[in-house]
Structures are given as C-alpha cells and as structure tokens.
C-alpha cells in the first residue's frame, strides 16, 4: 500500500505539470516567424552516452503515443555555437563569417533579426542536448502546439528538461539533460566555461 502512494503522487505531479505547461503554451505570446533548416541527423552517436539513453527512450515513448519525431541537432562544436549565438546580436557580415567558419550556409539580413540561442556555451557542446521536431506525413510540425505539448510532457516524464518551459526565449524543439553543467563538469572539467 505504501508503494502506490508515492507512485500516485508522482503521476499527479506529472499531470499537474503538463496542465501548467498547457496553460502557458496557450497564453498569447509574441511569436517571430523563423525559417528553419531541417537536417535529419543520422543516428545519435554525437550524444553523451548517458543522455543518449534518454533521447532513445524519448523517441520510443513518442512513437508509442503515435508521434513521429526527427532529431536534427545533437552535438555542436564551439564554433557552431558561437555562430548561432552571434545571430541577432552581431552584424550580418560577422554572423556570416562565423557561419562559414562552422560550415553553415549564409543567411539574409531578415534572418539576422532573430536570436536563436541564449547561450555561448550550451548543453549541445557536450552532447547533453538534442533538438527535434514532431513530424506528420513527412512534414515538420513547427506550429502544432498540441504536438509540442505532448512531446514536452513525454520529455519531462522521462526526466529531461524541455525548452518549451523556458521564460524569455522559449525553445520548443530543445530537450536536454537535467543539471547538464554538473555532468559536463564531471566529464570535461578542463573544457567547461560557465557564463
């Protein structure tokens, strides 16, 4: 009898969390149009071995609920992170120079109005984050709030952090390991730079 109470409390907590997330997703927010470039990543080998298990479970759980997802970004080099961080903050020349250096295609001035990341050092730099998109009939569903919420709840139930809950720059495609800085510090103490 005692074992069912904590389990029931956990389920109720998760349901409440999903309801809270749904409430905030349905609030009117300022939304900037963004032209996404989708590249399907083949495999999850760039992920940290600890986090890869979470992402594999996430994909399986989504599939069990009838949701297809594409994971399109995992491990990022520091050059790539700096190119993404510069977007929306630096001149177009600087941004495109950094993008070229990291192997990205140039962008237009209109795209340089949008900030795409808040961090100079990201969980992606340590293989502790992944970006995904729900897919229906082979097409990414960037604006399907119901699918984002369902995926976000799955990620939260597995024990990951979901960028859809962030304040300021909401990042629905982003999932990452909880307390990723501790894991990164343990695995790469010499490389971690905390902002």
């Amino acid at each position: 009898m005692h074992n069912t109470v904590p389990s029931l409390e956990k389920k109720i907590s998760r349901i409440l969390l999903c309801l809270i997330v749904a409430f905030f997703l349905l609030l009117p927010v300022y939304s900037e149009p963004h032209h996404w470039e989708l590249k399907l990543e083949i495999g999850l080998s760039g992920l940290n071995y600890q986090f890869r298990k979470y992402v594999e479970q996430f994909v399986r759980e989504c599939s069990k609920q009838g949701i297809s997802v594409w994971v399109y970004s995992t491990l990022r080099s520091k050059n790539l992170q700096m190119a993404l961080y510069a977007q929306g903050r630096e001149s177009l020349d600087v941004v495109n120079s950094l993008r070229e250096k990291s192997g990205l295609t140039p962008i237009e001035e209109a795209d340089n109005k949008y900030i795409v990341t808040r961090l100079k050092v990201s969980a992606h730099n340590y293989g502790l984050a992944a970006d995904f998109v729900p897919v229906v009939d082979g097409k990414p569903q960037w604006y399907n709030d119901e699918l984002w919420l369902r995926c976000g709840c799955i990620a939260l139930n597995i024990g990951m952090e979901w960028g859809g809950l962030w304040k300021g720059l909401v990042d629905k495609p982003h999932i990452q390991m909880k307390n990723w800085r501790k894991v990164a510090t343990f695995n790469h103490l010499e490389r971690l730079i905390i902002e």
Side-chain angles (χ1 to χ4, degrees):
M1 182 74 179
H2 293 288
N3 290 343
T4 59
V5 173
S7 176
L8 182 60
E9 288 175 358
K10 283 184 180 179
K11 286 181 181 178
I12 291 171
S13 295
R14 289 178 181 160
I15 290 169
L16 286 174
L17 181 61
C18 283
L19 289 172
I20 291 168
V21 169
F23 172 77
F24 284 107
L25 283 176
L26 296 175
L27 284 176
V29 293
Y30 177 71
S31 176
E32 297 176 345
H34 183 75
H35 301 287
W36 290 90
E37 181 180 317
L38 182 66
K39 292 183 180 177
L40 178 60
E41 184 166 283
I42 306 303
L44 305 175
S45 61
L47 291 173
N48 172 289
Y49 73 96
Q50 295 164 298
F51 184 62
R52 183 172 49 236
K53 294 174 190 174
Y54 285 92
V55 176
E56 289 168 347
Q57 185 180 356
F58 170 74
V59 171
R60 278 194 304 274
E61 292 300 319
C62 285
S63 182
K64 285 180 189 175
Q65 292 194 27
I67 305 169
S68 296
V69 295
W70 284 344
V71 176
Y72 63 91
S73 178
T74 57
L75 183 66
R76 283 185 197 155
S77 68
K78 288 185 180 181
N79 284 343
L80 177 54
Q81 187 68 27
M82 290 309 296
L84 295 175
Y85 181 79
Q87 187 172 331
R89 293 182 174 91
E90 300 287 343
S91 70
L92 184 61
D93 290 340
V94 170
V95 170
N96 280 335
S97 174
L98 290 169
R99 289 178 66 87
E100 182 181 352
K101 191 181 203 182
S102 64
L104 294 174
T105 57
I107 61 172
E108 300 292 325
E109 189 66 51
D111 292 322
N112 198 33
K113 294 178 183 176
Y114 305 112
I115 291 176
V116 295
T117 184
R118 312 182 286 169
L119 303 172
K120 289 182 181 177
V121 178
S122 163
H124 281 287
N125 298 129
Y126 299 94
L128 295 170
D131 291 336
F132 73 96
V133 61
V135 176
V136 175
D137 296 328
K139 296 178 184 161
Q141 301 298 301
W142 297 111
Y143 303 105
N144 187 329
D145 288 337
E146 179 197 350
L147 279 178
W148 282 118
L149 177 60
R150 288 175 61 198
C151 292
C153 286
I154 291 168
L156 294 169
N157 284 333
I158 291 170
M160 293 189 279
E161 291 179 15
W162 177 46
L165 293 179
W166 291 346
K167 291 182 169 71
L169 186 63
V170 174
D171 192 359
K172 293 177 189 176
H174 184 89
I175 51 178
Q176 67 184 29
M177 181 170 257
K178 278 188 180 177
N179 302 311
W180 69 267
R181 284 182 171 89
K182 289 181 183 176
V183 177
T185 301
F186 180 77
N187 290 333
H188 306 284
L189 183 61
E190 75 287 355
R191 293 192 323 187
L192 187 66
I193 303 167
I194 299 297
E195 294 178 49

